[in-house]
Amino acid sequence: MTALAIPGLDSAPTTHQRLLEWVHEVAELTTPDRVVWADGSDEEWDRLTKKLVDAGTFTPLKQKPNSFWAASDPGDVARVEERTFICSVDPDDAGPTNNWTDPAEMKATMTELYRGCMRGRTMYVIPFCMGPLEAEKPMLGVEITDSEYVVVSMRVMTRMGSKALAKFGEDADFVPCLHSVGAPLDEGQQDVAWPANETKYISHFPETREIWSYGSGYGGNALLGKKCYSLRIASVIGRDEGWLAEHMLILKLISPENKVYYIAAAFPSACGKTNLAMLEPTIPGWKVETLGDDIAWMRFGEDGRLYAVNPEAGFFGVAPGTDWHTNPNAMRTIERGNTVFTNVALTDNGDIWWEGMGEPPAHLTSWKKQDWTPDSDEPSSHPNSRYCTPMAQCPILAPEWDDPKGVPISAIFFGGRRKDTIPLVTESRDWNHGTFMGATLSSETTAAAKGKVGVVRRDPMAMLPFIGYNAADYFAHWIATGKRADANKLPKIFYVNWFRRGPENQFLWPGFGENSRVLKWAIERIEGKAAAQETPIGYVPTLDDIDTEGLDASRADLEAVLKVDREEWLAEIPLIEEWFDKMGEKLPTSLRDELEALKQRLSA
Ligand code: SAT
Ligand code: MN
């Protein structure tokens, strides 16, 4: 190794050769002023948050302990799907849904962007572990970044620092994750509060299991343990090793008889995963505990059941719409402090505010750092503004959330945001039919990704932006997964839609805590206790089959939310056909068979 005169470079707290070599290589390329190995200590948190306050990135909140307000560059507010690349050797391995670039070409382009890109900044080396540290094979990664915002956010979202590094030994496998905001500083140049670059790349190299990110400091673009590792790269590892990496919350449902069920549920970004994960049931005697709100890794246990672990250690939740009515447990979690808020509004007494939190104060500082009053034309908070808060603070956290064994899943829910066509809940006929439901899942786009909001797109398994390989191969992997266990041990698959609307554009279903009624019906189906109607699209409850006692909704709305409308479904078929055609030759024949069977049933 060359002796580079960069302070901190040679005081690495590890003897892991591959890691040391990579860190040297990156330092040589990016030429930071110094190198710091993140240890995850309280002292480090205090030092970095102070640095962020001094830089104008963070404003300490007077009303919440150890919590901070941050406003990003207005051009750096969400994931950038059109700048996200799967750089497999063969373009066919990226498939029809991903952007592809040849890995050598991408590396050449990005190497030039990285050259000198950390000048004037500190290069942080963050060892981290996705999922429990005590796992038989801990899932390790190292993020190199020049952003203090990323270091403190990674401390909330992952198990990182010394405790993660302790798992590396001399030669453990890890995923190298390179990140730079792409904003070098010249001698004496004043930094900006949110450094970023207009040029952005979020690149994944599935064969070598590497992640290279450039130009963005925001969420899923920059906290590389999250979508990049735990979904895009992990989905590839899961394909090769026979498990599933999914965009799913994990919740524990406890019945009045104290029976415990675990449910995993996939919804696109900003469609209520966090609210469902922390739901407070409105039906007497039922209880929910939380294990995760965004990602589930599911592997078969020795008993043949599918067990889920949440790779993350924090919640990166959508702020607007979250309040004491919609998600009291998220509110309680953030009240405890230790939270970073990004792109929400700041109150004059040093607290945060966002749309959906009741009456707005007379004056706020908006996410754009402008004066804001209730008369302002624009919302005070960006629709994709976020709170980043430790899971351990959640008052209804399930005690087994950190168990390396995971929890056995009884039911999988797929859901989207659709104002028509999709009934409140449909039970699949079997695993393949459930896979078909997931593969054809559709949703109206949200603010979680840059681009137009409210457009219906297919979002298979809510994984469209996160499948790290060919989507048709991913469907085949789901079908194959169903063959690896006894049918009666597999989770039952359901398709839900909380967002169906009536003729006055009103929501037909009250949602939030009332969704417990749907969970209850699903569990009773699994127990063989609840009835359902067989329809062309699957098993749908009638109004008599779900518990509606005390529910504040009109009978007409409830009937409409459960309706299987043949005309709407007939209109859906060509859209599914178009989607399947896009998948090409590799689409599993069993999914084509499911589509044919659905068409037959609809026309019968
Ligand atoms: O990708 S993020 O982590 O920024 C959030 C999301 O889209 O779910
Ligand atoms: Mn998500």
Side-chain angles (χ1 to χ4, degrees):
M1 257 173 267
T2 47
L4 271 178
I6 299 177
L9 183 58
D10 291 316
S11 49
T14 177
T15 52
H16 191 296
Q17 209 50 34
R18 180 176 157 228
L19 175 53
L20 286 171
E21 276 165 25
W22 178 59
V23 168
H24 267 258
E25 209 180 282
V26 173
E28 206 164 330
L29 176 65
T30 60
T31 63
D33 278 8
R34 67 197 75 76
V35 174
V36 169
W37 288 71
D39 61 14
S41 64
D42 290 345
E43 182 278 321
E44 177 177 273
W45 170 275
D46 292 342
R47 175 162 41 84
L48 294 185
T49 54
K50 181 172 182 309
K51 198 167 174 192
L52 285 158
V53 171
D54 292 343
T57 314
F58 274 5
T59 300
L61 294 176
K62 296 197 188 88
Q63 310 298 333
K64 291 195 169 38
N66 193 28
S67 297
F68 302 90
W69 176 75
S72 80
D73 182 298
D76 196 21
V77 295
R79 281 183 291 100
V80 283
E81 293 180 5
E82 71 285 5
R83 304 299 305 159
T84 301
F85 298 87
I86 300 298
C87 306
S88 47
V89 172
D90 182 345
D92 193 48
D93 286 329
T97 60
N98 286 308
N99 302 312
W100 176 84
T101 297
D102 174 78
E105 189 186 317
M106 179 61 83
K107 285 199 167 171
T109 305
M110 290 189 73
T111 296
E112 288 322 304
L113 292 172
Y114 283 135
R115 199 175 297 287
C117 73
M118 295 190 188
R119 189 173 64 244
R121 298 193 183 275
T122 302
M123 173 176 129
Y124 298 91
V125 184
I126 316 168
F128 65 90
C129 179
M130 298 314 293
L133 285 159
E134 301 315 319
E136 202 175 308
K137 189 176 155 261
M139 299 293 278
L140 303 172
V142 177
E143 178 159 352
I144 292 183
T145 181
D146 52 10
S147 161
E148 287 82 15
Y149 174 89
V150 166
V151 184
V152 301
S153 302
M154 285 291 284
R155 185 182 186 225
V156 175
M157 296 305 297
T158 70
R159 292 122 171 128
M160 54 76 85
S162 310
K163 59 179 190 265
L165 190 59
K167 300 286 169 188
F168 277 66
E170 298 282 314
D171 56 4
D173 233 357
F174 71 95
V175 174
C177 308
L178 175 52
H179 171 255
S180 172
V181 292
L185 289 169
D186 288 329
E187 189 81 42
Q189 185 185 337
Q190 181 62 34
D191 200 0
V192 293
W194 187 275
N197 195 302
E198 266 176 43
T199 301
K200 293 177 176 43
Y201 283 95
I202 321 295
S203 301
H204 307 73
F205 303 92
E207 279 94 1
T208 51
R209 294 176 188 172
E210 293 167 281
I211 300 159
W212 286 17
S213 167
Y214 179 87
S216 170
Y218 195 73
N221 301 328
L223 313 179
L224 303 184
K226 196 172 179 49
K227 309 295 190 183
C228 300
Y229 181 150
S230 295
L231 289 176
R232 298 196 190 96
I233 295 295
S235 64
V236 173
I237 302 175
R239 174 200 62 191
D240 295 347
E241 296 181 354
W243 51 276
L244 297 168
E246 299 298 329
H247 192 204
M248 291 180 182
L249 65 92
I250 309 167
L251 70 81
K252 176 181 177 185
L253 186 64
I254 308 164
S255 76
E257 300 79 40
N258 266 325
K259 279 194 84 173
V260 168
Y261 307 89
Y262 299 97
I263 297 175
F267 302 88
S269 300
C271 289
K273 280 200 300 301
T274 310
N275 291 343
L276 185 65
M278 297 183 197
L279 162 135
E280 290 205 326
T282 49
I283 37 175
W286 292 76
K287 251 179 68 182
V288 162
E289 291 178 356
T290 305
L291 290 107
D293 78 330
D294 198 38
I295 302 178
W297 286 350
M298 297 190 286
R299 300 176 172 90
F300 284 107
E302 275 163 22
D303 60 0
R305 296 189 69 188
L306 209 46
Y307 283 72
V309 297
N310 173 11
E312 300 192 280
F315 302 122
F316 191 69
V318 179
T322 308
D323 75 347
W324 290 99
H325 167 69
T326 60
N327 195 338
N329 289 312
M331 297 304 283
R332 290 180 193 117
T333 309
I334 62 182
E335 278 309 304
R336 294 181 179 181
N338 313 308
T339 301
V340 177
F341 297 90
T342 305
N343 290 341
V344 304
L346 179 66
T347 68
D348 294 349
N349 68 343
D351 205 348
I352 39 81
W353 195 86
W354 50 67
E355 278 65 29
M357 244 198 216
E359 281 299 300
H363 178 264
L364 292 165
T365 304
S366 77
W367 75 277
K368 288 185 176 165
K369 295 191 172 169
Q370 289 161 358
D371 287 318
W372 188 93
T373 70
D375 294 332
S376 296
D377 293 337
E378 293 184 344
S380 69
S381 304
H382 188 276
N384 192 40
S385 53
R386 300 271 171 167
Y387 56 82
C388 176
T389 196
M391 267 181 69
Q393 292 181 188
C394 179
I396 58 159
L397 189 68
E400 60 275 41
W401 75 283
D402 195 30
D403 186 341
K405 198 162 106 261
V407 293
I409 299 296
S410 297
I412 290 175
F413 282 32
F414 290 122
R417 181 187 285 271
R418 285 290 303 267
K419 49 177 178 288
D420 50 37
T421 316
I422 315 295
L424 178 65
V425 57
T426 311
E427 178 193 330
S428 64
R429 308 163 81 88
D430 53 30
W431 180 269
N432 279 7
H433 182 224
T435 301
F436 173 79
M437 286 174 164
T440 57
L441 190 73
S442 56
S443 195
E444 292 149 21
T445 49
T446 69
K450 219 169 142 240
K452 205 166 159 4
V453 167
V455 185
V456 173
R457 70 172 186 184
R458 295 295 127 185
D459 192 343
M461 284 78 171
M463 281 283 283
L464 180 68
F466 308 122
I467 303 169
Y469 58 103
N470 188 309
D473 287 338
Y474 168 78
F475 297 155
H477 182 54
W478 263 82
I479 298 285
T481 300
K483 295 196 166 57
R484 295 186 51 223
D486 290 349
N488 62 354
K489 291 196 173 162
L490 289 168
K492 251 191 192 306
I493 300 178
F494 298 83
Y495 191 170
V496 298
N497 177 23
W498 318 134
F499 301 95
R500 201 169 185 184
R501 295 187 191 235
E504 264 85 62
N505 209 33
Q506 82 280 18
F507 284 111
L508 293 168
W509 177 252
F512 303 107
E514 304 294 9
N515 292 338
S516 56
R517 298 172 191 275
V518 176
L519 301 185
K520 180 184 171 192
W521 178 78
I523 293 305
E524 289 178 346
R525 285 295 293 168
I526 291 168
E527 296 280 11
K529 288 198 235 160
Q533 229 179 356
E534 189 169 355
T535 80
I537 63 168
Y539 300 99
V540 177
T542 66
L543 247 189
D544 296 333
D545 301 327
I546 358 184
D547 181 348
T548 53
E549 209 182 307
L551 180 62
D552 184 18
S554 76
R555 190 161 180 105
D557 278 2
L558 294 177
E559 271 165 3
V561 82
L562 291 170
K563 183 167 186 219
V564 179
D565 187 314
R566 204 174 285 265
E567 294 308 313
E568 287 182 344
W569 273 96
L570 287 172
E572 191 77 5
I573 296 291
L575 304 178
I576 297 176
E577 278 173 336
E578 190 187 322
W579 167 241
F580 275 3
D581 288 346
K582 189 176 167 185
M583 292 299 109
E585 295 287 291
K586 283 187 150 180
L587 185 79
T589 47
S590 46
L591 292 185
R592 282 238 180 254
D593 295 346
E594 288 292 339
L595 176 58
E596 284 314 309
L598 172 62
K599 276 161 69 176
Q600 297 260 318
R601 292 194 299 263
L602 282 169
S603 57

